[in-house]
Amino acid sequence: MNAIRASLVAQRARHLGPRMLSSSSTAPRRPDRTRASPQGNIGPSALSAHQVFAPLAKNRPVFKISKPITVIREPQQFYRDLLHGIKHARRRICLSSLYIGSDETQLISALDRALEQNPALQLCVLLDCLRGTRTDATGMSSAALLSPLVARFGAERVQVAMYHTPALSGLSKQAWPQRYNEAFGLQHIKAYVFDDEVIVSGANLSRDYFTNRQDRYMRIPDRQFTDYFAGLIATISQFSFRVLADDRASRYRLQMAPSVADPTREPRAFIREANERMAEFLQRAELEHAVEAGAVSEHDTLAIPTVQMRQLGITQDEAHMAEFFDLVNTFARSHGCRSLMASAYFNFSDQYKRSVLDSASRWDLLVASPQANGFYTAKGISQFIPDMYSIIEHEFVRAASARARGDISIEEYARAGWTFHGKGVWCYLNQKLPQLTMIGSPNYGYRSIYRDLEAQVTVILGSAQLQTDIHQEALGLLSHSKIVSQDELQQRARGSPLWLHGLKPFIMKKM
């Protein structure tokens, strides 16, 4: 713990030890982390992280990553890496995002040049249909932005897919306007493939994510691991609408493959067909990339991808997270443990909140402050969403206080002029550096489990350098955060409109 303290003093940041929940109106006092923990032995365990987390590798694809993994820290570097990947790709570019900003002409121009200069290059883009066809004030959308590439290079080289949730069909689809219809479910997976490396992230492809919207990004250079994500994107694209060029003013049209049911007309048939394709992909990946326990050493870095598509009957990540919480709890009871969990929004699902409250591990929860929430400057009812998250935070802090869980705290990211969109997990077991991290698209809320298509990667860290990089990433995020007290949250909750409390159950399931 002293090493963490020294590191943070040097960087003017906070460290990852336990934080006390304060009921006073003053700033919470940080406890002395040099004292022994009541949760068990604080010394190193004889068990390695690979042994502790071995069950996570069962019945799931596992990849040994031999080349160095790069942890990208800032959105500007993320954008530079995207442009570098596009420029140097020779065989394939696969981009999976919620949407592409309608003003991202520089990104589209880079794709255009890459396709022109490399005749063998294939481009596939997977976006959400509802978000990707939503128009801005000028009538532009992600689909309209990409359709000229389809027209110029042909649908064989440029495949643009738009996944549409089966939960919005028939009269409901006609009744719900743009933006609000996105509450029914979205394609939320963020992965960016360039030949044999992939950037796994939670960031979308728009200007704020390239400048002042903080997320997480990890570049993984491994052929087989990259093949997995390229295959995942290709599989989802099989049951998604295709964007085709059109000479009319709309500039594009959407077409579903003849062999797949239209989710807006035949949602049940669509779910059945999509489930079959996804199940086949996941089963094949598991068989082809199984790792025997005896073939793994504590110096191996392992990447375990998981997906969640409950609307399609796929609950892999949900089961994975439940197992992770159980493993951490079991370890913490005997050895002590500390963990950090981040989300763009304090809207963790009930099962995840229960898992944290019931866990023997210390927990820090990192979320956006109201000012760093993407909805802070929104108009209409959306402007009250940050207030809603404060209400939910206050309820959770009260629950933790009632259980005398002084080792659970909430940190809020607050950086002038920035918003926060990071998500993931850092698990330290009882060591000074993390042994595991999770990174990807889930915000760990109701939507992530029940409505959206999500993918994340659990990385068991075998390299001391990678452990240090992941630790520094966490410290960097926490350096812009502050502990929020119970009194502060109570004041926010009391200052919120009464009707907002009544809408809480609805918003918790939609946001």
Side-chain angles (χ1 to χ4, degrees):
M1 303 300 289
N2 290 334
I4 300 179
R5 183 188 298 276
S7 173
L8 283 168
V9 168
Q11 299 180 54
R12 302 177 62 83
R14 298 176 175 84
H15 48 109
L16 293 171
R19 297 176 170 92
M20 299 297 292
L21 289 169
S22 171
S23 59
S24 68
S25 58
T26 58
R29 180 178 63 85
R30 298 181 184 278
D32 181 0
R33 295 159 178 82
T34 62
R35 297 178 183 175
S37 167
Q39 297 180 357
N41 300 327
I42 203 66
S45 165
L47 294 173
S48 71
H50 294 72
Q51 292 172 309
V52 173
F53 295 118
L56 297 181
K58 293 181 179 179
N59 303 319
R60 294 173 190 117
V62 182
F63 300 85
K64 284 186 182 181
I65 309 298
S66 58
K67 296 180 180 179
I69 292 175
T70 301
V71 179
I72 303 169
R73 298 279 295 277
E74 296 286 343
Q76 297 90 342
Q77 186 60 52
F78 168 56
Y79 187 52
R80 288 193 291 269
D81 280 19
L82 287 175
L83 294 179
H84 181 274
I86 292 171
K87 182 178 180 179
H88 292 88
R90 293 296 178 264
R91 295 183 293 104
R92 62 181 176 185
I93 298 174
C94 302
L95 309 176
S96 176
S97 184
L98 174 62
Y99 67 101
I100 297 178
S102 56
D103 58 349
E104 287 305 319
T105 54
Q106 183 180 4
L107 190 70
I108 300 302
S109 295
L111 291 169
D112 184 279
R113 287 193 299 273
L115 289 164
E116 182 178 34
Q117 295 171 5
N118 301 285
L121 183 63
Q122 297 282 322
L123 170 64
C124 59
V125 180
L126 172 64
L127 306 175
D128 180 74
C129 190
L130 299 175
R131 185 65 178 85
T133 57
R134 189 213 292 183
T135 54
D136 62 14
T138 66
M140 183 59 70
S141 65
S142 302
L145 193 68
L146 288 163
S147 62
L149 294 179
V150 180
R152 182 177 180 190
F153 298 102
E156 293 303 314
R157 286 190 67 197
V158 179
Q159 299 183 22
V160 180
M162 298 271 177
Y163 171 84
H164 193 293
T165 174
L168 185 65
S169 61
L171 294 177
S172 294
K173 179 171 176 59
Q174 300 176 32
W176 285 87
Q178 286 189 352
R179 184 180 179 89
Y180 297 99
N181 57 11
E182 296 166 24
F184 287 85
L186 297 168
Q187 193 302 113
H188 201 243
I189 297 170
K190 322 298 173 53
Y192 307 109
V193 168
F194 307 103
D195 286 344
D196 294 334
E197 69 176 27
V198 57
I199 298 176
V200 178
S201 181
N204 293 303
L205 300 176
S206 67
R207 187 51 38 185
D208 52 345
Y209 289 94
F210 303 151
T211 53
N212 62 347
R213 187 156 173 76
Q214 183 66 59
D215 213 300
R216 297 183 67 207
Y217 335 82
M218 183 181 289
R219 187 171 71 243
I220 303 178
D222 183 89
R223 173 68 179 269
Q224 291 188 333
F225 183 75
T226 302
D227 285 347
Y228 170 90
F229 269 97
L232 175 63
I233 294 170
T235 301
I236 299 172
S237 298
Q238 291 174 8
F239 50 84
S240 299
F241 285 101
R242 290 281 298 276
V243 173
L244 301 177
D246 199 317
D247 294 333
R248 295 175 298 177
S250 63
R251 288 179 285 183
Y252 73 89
R253 57 189 173 89
L254 299 178
Q255 179 176 297
M256 182 66 75
S259 59
V260 180
D262 187 328
T264 68
R265 299 177 181 178
E266 303 176 87
R268 292 184 179 179
F270 172 83
I271 291 171
R272 183 174 59 253
E273 294 170 12
N275 175 274
E276 290 175 354
R277 292 173 190 249
M278 278 305 308
E280 180 182 355
F281 168 79
L282 294 174
Q283 289 169 4
R284 184 172 64 252
E286 177 190 331
L287 290 174
E288 292 178 354
H289 302 289
V291 174
E292 297 294 333
V296 174
S297 80
E298 63 183 54
H299 301 294
D300 288 325
T301 292
L302 305 180
I304 308 169
T306 49
V307 300
Q308 181 74 10
M309 305 174 176
R310 185 177 262 270
Q311 288 186 347
L312 306 181
I314 304 296
T315 58
Q316 185 186 54
D317 189 63
E318 182 181 350
H320 183 81
M321 289 297 295
E323 193 160 24
F324 166 74
F325 279 115
D326 286 344
L327 294 171
V328 168
N329 185 40
T330 299
F331 182 89
R333 290 187 184 281
S334 300
H335 305 286
C337 183
R338 64 189 189 279
S339 304
L340 169 66
M341 190 174 191
S343 175
Y345 317 104
F346 197 99
N347 193 19
F348 298 104
S349 69
D350 288 341
Q351 51 263 58
Y352 292 165
K353 285 188 286 190
R354 283 195 302 268
S355 295
V356 169
L357 290 171
D358 292 342
S359 177
S361 175
R362 310 164 186 172
W363 282 92
D364 285 300
L365 303 178
L366 175 62
V367 297
S369 66
Q371 294 76 16
N373 189 295
F375 292 98
Y376 186 68
T377 58
K379 298 179 181 179
I381 193 173
S382 295
Q383 66 183 296
F384 295 101
I385 291 176
D387 295 328
M388 173 60 66
Y389 292 133
S390 291
I391 293 172
I392 300 170
E393 281 183 59
H394 181 237
E395 291 179 351
F396 179 81
V397 169
R398 289 179 59 191
S401 181
R403 297 189 182 205
R405 289 301 306 270
D407 56 351
I408 297 176
S409 67
I410 298 175
E411 296 261 2
E412 289 187 343
Y413 186 94
R415 186 178 180 183
W418 286 61
T419 57
F420 182 70
H421 197 250
K423 66 272 295 181
V425 172
W426 295 254
C427 184
Y428 284 71
L429 294 181
N430 58 351
Q431 305 294 324
K432 296 176 181 178
L433 296 175
Q435 289 84 51
L436 175 146
T437 191
M438 295 182 182
I439 184 171
S441 64
N443 281 300
Y444 306 117
Y446 182 94
R447 287 197 60 134
S448 296
I449 296 175
Y450 293 97
R451 295 189 181 278
D452 298 341
L453 305 192
E454 306 278 13
Q456 71 172 340
V457 180
T458 298
V459 185
I460 300 176
L461 310 170
S463 157
Q465 182 59 57
L466 184 56
Q467 290 177 350
T468 300
D469 291 345
I470 295 296
H471 179 58
Q472 292 297 322
E473 176 196 35
L475 296 183
L477 296 176
L478 289 173
S479 71
H480 296 289
S481 73
K482 67 179 183 68
I483 298 172
V484 61
S485 70
Q486 184 172 337
D487 271 4
E488 180 180 348
L489 291 170
Q490 184 175 4
Q491 291 171 7
R492 289 188 206 166
R494 287 177 175 175
S496 301
L498 289 177
W499 57 264
L500 196 58
H501 293 257
L503 284 179
K504 181 169 68 69
F506 172 82
I507 293 179
M508 286 181 68
K509 294 184 177 181
K510 299 295 184 182
M511 302 306 299

